[in-house]
Amino acid sequence: MNSDLKEFNSAAAFLIDMTKCTGCRGCQVACKQWNQLKGEKTRFFNGEGYQNPPSMSEYTFTRIKFRDYQKNGQNEFAFYKEMCMHCNEPACASVCPVGAFKKTKEGPVVYDAKRCIGCRFCMVACPFGVPKYEWSKAFPLVRKCTGCYSRIREGLKPACATACPSAITYGPRAEMLKEAERRIAARPERYLKKIYGKEEAGGTSVIYLTALPFDELGFKQVTKRSLPSYTWQALRLVPGIFLTVGGSLSLLSWFTHRKERLKKEEEQRQASSHKAKEENQ
Ligand code: SF4
Ligand code: SF4
Ligand code: SF4
């Protein structure tokens, strides 16, 4: 095993066993609560199925997709928990010109809003369609699942893993892979004989077990090769106009963010000096 692979496997990972998911959506709620994400308007049946909201967004970092099917003449539901895959070699990080995305040694791929210039290359590069842009805001940022980095640094599990009563296990990636293999071997009639995320996009920190074929549940079919090696080759094919417009927007966004940041820093400085004065009186 090369040293990179060792590092990825010792980082933490989610083992999400979709055969044990009840579709309770406790994970969705816990994610919203922990990340203080506002609710979105939903409809009981939105045309695509029973899942709600209709897609992941800047306010929804994870979502349970529903798939109904027939088994032995009975109606059954299968589920798929969508979220950032926290790729071992993230394409989002490889294309970001200012290093706003970073794969941490603990496992999560984190995003630093202070660095982001709003070019949105990460959105084009991610093979799983995860990063979302705050289109409705005057000073937009890219948003996605954080892997609950702040929690795991405090020794806690991610909020969704803590809330889940049955389907999510969280621990070192090598152990999660072993556990997934053990479950498949112990109950071959229950599981599809494949672990999604073991090799997809070069391996990810979110791995899945399912009963139904992945494409039937809405999992993306991605290459096994890690994407950073050719993400820029793909982006080079994007028309020049995109890059020109992207470049101008980036510059504009960088200046806007900078102005906003300086304003916030100044406000914080004033607030703390005011507090210090009050304490000294
Ligand atoms: S799933 Fe997309 S956003 Fe998440 S780490 Fe991988 S490339 Fe980045
Ligand atoms: S890891 Fe944290 S941010 Fe990501 S889906 Fe789970 S609760 Fe949400
Ligand atoms: S909390 Fe667990 S069981 Fe409930 S929907 Fe989420 S993954 Fe499924």
Side-chain angles (χ1 to χ4, degrees), residues 83-94 101-103 107-110 122-123 125-132 142-145 201 203-204 206 227-228:
M83 61 186 286
C84 173
M85 299 291 288
H86 299 283
C87 307
N88 291 344
E89 296 173 74
C92 56
S94 81
F101 284 92
K102 193 177 89 183
K103 174 78 177 172
V109 172
V110 294
C122 52
M123 292 171 67
C126 173
F128 301 100
V130 167
K132 304 292 177 207
V142 170
R143 306 294 315 266
K144 74 164 195 77
C145 153
T204 61
V206 182
L227 288 142

Side-chain angles (χ1 to χ4, degrees), residues 196-257:
Y196 187 93
K198 182 178 178 183
E199 293 176 314
E200 279 70 17
T204 61
S205 288
V206 182
I207 59 172
Y208 293 91
L209 290 176
T210 65
L212 296 187
F214 299 118
D215 55 345
E216 285 184 28
L217 287 168
F219 282 77
K220 297 256 189 320
Q221 283 184 320
V222 300
T223 167
K224 287 184 181 171
R225 262 179 70 190
S226 80
L227 288 142
S229 53
Y230 58 92
T231 309
W232 270 112
Q233 288 170 31
L235 278 185
R236 267 209 299 271
L237 301 175
V238 175
I241 184 82
F242 176 87
L243 295 177
T244 314
V245 172
S248 317
L249 285 174
S250 307
L251 212 57
L252 189 66
S253 175
W254 187 82
F255 278 118
T256 321
H257 278 140

Side-chain angles (χ1 to χ4, degrees), residues 3-70:
S3 61
D4 280 355
L5 201 53
K6 259 193 207 156
E7 197 177 305
F8 293 142
N9 282 336
S10 61
F14 295 76
L15 166 57
I16 308 184
D17 186 337
M18 298 311 335
T19 72
K20 295 181 178 229
C21 173
T22 59
C24 69
R25 293 190 277 205
C27 52
Q28 257 183 247
V29 175
C31 179
K32 288 240 177 210
Q33 201 173 31
W34 176 254
N35 292 294
Q36 300 279 292
L37 300 169
K38 75 168 194 186
E40 292 179 83
K41 200 166 179 173
T42 56
R43 272 194 297 151
F44 177 56
F45 188 82
N46 63 30
E48 189 201 2
Y50 295 101
Q51 51 270 11
N52 260 314
S55 62
M56 285 196 290
S57 71
E58 67 263 44
Y59 307 115
T60 301
F61 295 169
T62 187
R63 185 180 77 128
I64 294 291
K65 275 183 103 170
F66 285 52
R67 157 102 163 76
D68 48 343
Y69 67 106
Q70 289 261 319

Side-chain angles (χ1 to χ4, degrees), residues 150-186:
S150 58
R151 288 176 62 93
I152 66 168
R153 286 184 69 192
E154 295 298 322
L156 299 168
K157 285 185 189 170
C160 57
T162 304
C164 177
S166 51
I168 308 177
T169 316
Y170 191 76
R173 186 172 187 269
E175 279 178 32
M176 295 300 102
L177 285 169
K178 240 190 238 164
E179 173 61 15
E181 277 157 15
R182 190 195 64 73
R183 287 186 200 178
I184 293 175

